[in-house]
Amino acid sequence: MVPFLLWLLLLFISWPLALVALILYPIVWLVLLPFRLVGAVFTGVNAMLAAIASRTHEIGILRAIGFRPGAIFVSFLFEALLLGLLGGVIGCLLLLPLHGIQTGTTNFQTFTEVAFGFRITPLVLGTSVSVAMLLGLIGGMFP
């Protein structure tokens, strides 16, 4: 009898915290999203800076044979775009095994089960690859 009463006490104490977490989770996620995107851009910038630093000799030769700085910039931008595309496609391929996974949780207000299905649609895949390419493009512009 005591464990049941303890469980009931815990249930009545914890449901307001669960409600607060349910309300705050999307807000915190949206607040942290720009920081995640900036971190991804800085990672892309770092990769492109390393690529440029290792190719200074190659860039010098291209300049010597008559390539304009704009053409060299476009080639590095195209490389960054392709790296973003490759990263987005690999990320989508790693996500595909999770398609169709279902999970559930309990709604403590009505004591019913809420089930969630993880569905991957072409819109989700296209958006993911587009965002990866955009981040690669932004990351390639700065170096």
Side-chain angles (χ1 to χ4, degrees):
M1 183 71 177
V2 173
F4 179 73
L5 291 176
L6 195 59
W7 180 82
L8 277 178
L9 179 66
L10 182 65
L11 178 70
F12 286 117
I13 290 173
S14 65
W15 78 265
L17 297 175
L19 188 63
V20 168
L22 187 66
I23 292 170
L24 287 181
Y25 179 75
I27 296 169
V28 169
W29 192 84
L30 286 175
V31 167
L32 292 179
L33 181 65
F35 296 109
R36 293 177 189 168
L37 293 177
V38 167
V41 167
F42 279 140
T43 303
V45 168
N46 190 23
M48 291 310 296
L49 279 172
I52 291 172
S54 68
R55 294 185 184 170
T56 53
H57 187 67
E58 179 184 335
I59 293 170
I61 292 173
L62 288 174
R63 293 279 294 139
I65 61 174
F67 279 90
R68 294 184 178 156
I72 297 171
F73 174 71
V74 169
S75 70
F76 277 102
L77 208 55
F78 186 68
E79 180 185 351
L81 189 68
L82 284 179
L83 286 174
L85 174 68
L86 181 68
V89 168
I90 289 173
C92 288
L93 288 175
L94 290 174
L95 185 71
L96 285 177
L98 299 178
H99 179 66
I101 290 180
Q102 292 188 355
T103 185
T105 186
T106 303
N107 183 353
F108 285 109
Q109 292 178 345
T110 60
F111 293 105
T112 58
E113 183 180 7
V114 180
F116 300 96
F118 190 73
R119 304 280 182 246
I120 301 169
T121 63
L123 178 66
V124 170
L125 294 175
T127 303
S128 301
V129 170
S130 300
V131 168
M133 288 175 62
L134 179 67
L135 290 175
L137 194 66
I138 293 170
M141 278 186 202
F142 290 115

